[in-house]
Amino acid sequence: MELQPPADMELTLRTLAMPADANPAGDIFGGWVMSQMDLAAFVRANDVAGGRTVTVAVNEIVFKKPVKIGDTLCVYTRIEKVGRTSITLKIEAWTRRHSQQSRDKVTEAVFIMVAVDDAGNPRAVQSEASKVA
């Protein structure tokens, strides 16, 4: 059982799971968790791309454990690859349970983002990271 996010991942987003995001059993909807992961991918990819990005694919999303009302959802990101116009990120969502100090990895996926111009057309990634990859 993993107790801590990998050291090579960056905490990109942290939010609280609220009752409005839950089903009657108190589990947070998977779509809400995925949307938080998408927000984190957007924030991190925009930094790397030097501007606006859009989500073009989500690969292999795996829901490992439920998120409960009151949990703090922490979304971690790692840049896996920077292409000419795209950025591939590994995303992990972890919870800090409201009633305890434990941390659990609840969801993971790979997101692919593409840098776009004002018209929504693909453009070259502008950051220094693109020169390294």
Side-chain angles (χ1 to χ4, degrees), residues 100-117:
Q100 32 188 302
Q101 294 299 311
S102 68
R103 294 178 185 262
D104 292 308
K105 181 165 57 168
V106 293
T107 310
E108 62 183 338
V110 174
F111 279 67
I112 301 171
M113 310 294 285
V114 168
V116 295
D117 62 19

Side-chain angles (χ1 to χ4, degrees), residues 12-130:
T12 308
L13 184 135
R14 184 169 49 185
T15 190
L16 186 63
M18 299 295 288
D21 305 312
N23 63 27
D27 295 326
I28 300 301
F29 289 111
W32 180 85
V33 175
M34 187 174 174
S35 72
Q36 303 309 305
M37 296 170 75
D38 195 28
L39 287 170
F42 174 81
V43 167
R44 186 78 187 273
N46 282 8
D47 286 346
V48 171
R52 181 177 165 213
T53 61
V54 295
T55 307
V56 296
V58 179
N59 297 329
E60 303 175 21
I61 190 161
V62 178
F63 294 95
K64 297 175 176 280
K65 294 184 178 183
V67 177
K68 299 288 189 181
I69 294 170
D71 288 351
T72 299
L73 185 74
C74 301
V75 184
Y76 293 83
T77 62
R78 178 176 57 234
I79 305 300
E80 295 286 300
K81 178 182 173 188
V82 178
R84 192 179 73 75
T85 63
S86 67
I87 301 162
T88 302
L89 303 98
K90 171 72 174 183
I91 311 287
E92 292 185 3
W94 288 68
T95 58
R96 183 169 183 184
R97 303 294 182 187
H98 74 283
S99 60
Q100 32 188 302
Q101 294 299 311
S102 68
R103 294 178 185 262
D104 292 308
K105 181 165 57 168
V106 293
T107 310
E108 62 183 338
V110 174
F111 279 67
I112 301 171
M113 310 294 285
V114 168
V116 295
D117 62 19
D118 290 339
N121 298 312
R123 65 164 176 83
V125 172
Q126 297 174 353
S127 81
E128 291 296 314
S130 66

